[in-house]
Amino acid sequence: MSAALFAAGLGDVIRVCYQNAGYRVLSETTQPVPVIMASHNPFSIEIFRHHRNAKNFILYDLAHKYEEFFNSGVRGADINRALCDFAGVDYAQLIRGPANGHIPVFDAPDDIASEGHIVFQPFAGNVSYRSLPPELIEKTVQVLRRLPCRVFVVTRSYFRPGMKGKTIHAVEDARSVEGDNITVLDSLTVPATLNLIKNCRAYVGSWSSLQQAAWFENKPVAVLYPENHHDVTQPTDYAFGMNRDNTLGREYSKVDAAELAEFLQRW
């Protein structure tokens, strides 16, 4: 029996939805298919719980096993094999191959009826270095308040333990910036958030999950990241949109409010 696997962070899950044939197969299947969800973001599974074809999904929520394997030093394909073994799924039967241009459709019970807005994601799954510093959040918010469009700030609190018991994600609180043209959404489901990206005019924020989604949807992206961020200095697949004309990428210390405002006014 074929099976699908979505693991690691929400950004990784999004990448698989856009790049791998698995999400397309799940959307078309008329037979039960095992779907292993093993993301350290506990809300990633909402993509599949609310899917219009969910009646044919055999969902395995193995977030705890992913953390267990990762913290024990297991990496890459070995984690995927371990997850399949735990679920009793044949690793060789995982759906593979490219999406071949298939654009994912996301189903949500709480879609926001809006177009032409901007999405701001100030936080990331690892707050120790990829969430924006408070002073940078304030600088960005000052730019966003002056724009003639709605701005949605997307946050979602959850506990994420790291190795040796260190907490690397907990509360995401942006309520202090609410007002004027800015609305804070702190409990929007993941599929509704992805649809918010589909309908936006631009994304602004941290090097995190929604920046990946915005690039896949070819949206203008202003992404802010730590100094000497490894995905940028030694480009990885996570940096696939950095050289586009509609991308502005800046290290925290090099963010210029006037430049950011000019960039966002172009779109």
Side-chain angles (χ1 to χ4, degrees):
M1 177 188 295
S2 296
L5 172 65
F6 301 82
L10 175 57
D12 298 288
V13 172
I14 291 169
R15 290 175 62 78
V16 174
C17 288
Y18 278 88
Q19 293 183 312
N20 184 272
Y23 195 79
R24 174 183 57 79
V25 172
L26 292 178
S27 299
E28 299 171 350
T29 185
T30 58
Q31 301 296 323
V33 175
V35 181
I36 298 176
M37 270 300 308
S39 173
H40 51 67
N41 183 316
F43 304 111
S44 299
I45 200 169
E46 292 171 343
I47 295 172
F48 304 93
R49 283 180 174 157
H50 298 298
H51 195 286
R52 66 191 66 185
N53 202 24
K55 65 181 182 297
N56 287 315
F57 301 166
I58 306 170
L59 275 175
Y60 295 85
D61 187 352
L62 299 185
H64 65 297
K65 297 303 294 185
Y66 179 89
E67 294 288 354
E68 176 187 319
F69 294 141
F70 186 86
N71 290 336
S72 68
V74 183
R75 295 291 186 273
D78 289 335
I79 285 187
N80 294 344
R81 291 189 182 90
L83 290 167
C84 287
D85 288 345
F86 182 82
V89 170
D90 185 354
Y91 176 78
Q93 295 301 310
L94 289 181
I95 302 167
R96 294 177 171 83
N100 291 328
H102 174 74
I103 304 299
V105 174
F106 303 106
D107 301 301
D110 54 345
D111 277 328
I112 301 294
S114 177
E115 293 183 353
H117 52 267
I118 285 176
V119 177
F120 178 36
Q121 183 184 35
F123 304 108
N126 190 326
V127 298
S128 64
Y129 71 103
R130 283 192 291 108
S131 287
L132 303 189
E135 62 274 13
L136 183 52
I137 292 176
E138 180 57 32
K139 178 189 287 189
T140 306
V141 165
Q142 289 177 10
V143 171
L144 296 174
R145 283 200 196 284
R146 293 192 288 267
L147 296 175
C149 65
R150 297 183 73 184
V151 176
F152 293 103
V153 182
V154 178
T155 67
R156 206 91 185 260
S157 298
Y158 62 91
F159 175 71
R160 179 186 174 191
M163 299 181 68
K164 299 181 180 179
K166 180 181 179 181
T167 298
I168 57 179
H169 186 278
V171 176
E172 295 186 2
D173 187 357
R175 288 172 295 178
S176 63
V177 309
E178 179 120 37
D180 299 323
N181 64 328
I182 296 179
T183 301
V184 177
L185 303 171
D186 61 4
S187 58
L188 197 66
T189 65
V190 169
T193 302
L194 294 174
N195 288 333
L196 202 66
I197 290 288
K198 282 179 175 286
N199 295 322
C200 77
R201 62 185 281 190
Y203 165 86
V204 182
S206 63
W207 191 277
S208 195
S209 55
L210 298 188
Q211 154 229 0
Q212 297 290 306
W215 272 339
F216 282 120
E217 291 288 338
N218 197 30
K219 300 293 183 176
V221 169
V223 60
L224 317 177
Y225 46 85
E227 278 63 32
N228 300 315
H229 185 52
H230 62 90
D231 283 322
V232 177
T233 57
Q234 299 179 343
T236 66
D237 289 343
Y238 295 107
F240 71 97
M242 280 296 292
N243 295 324
R244 294 179 180 176
D245 291 339
N246 63 349
T247 290
L248 174 69
R250 291 292 181 266
E251 294 181 338
Y252 293 158
S253 63
K254 296 179 181 177
V255 175
D256 179 84
E259 180 188 39
L260 178 60
E262 190 278 331
F263 174 79
L264 293 174
Q265 288 165 3
R266 288 168 51 193
W267 313 104

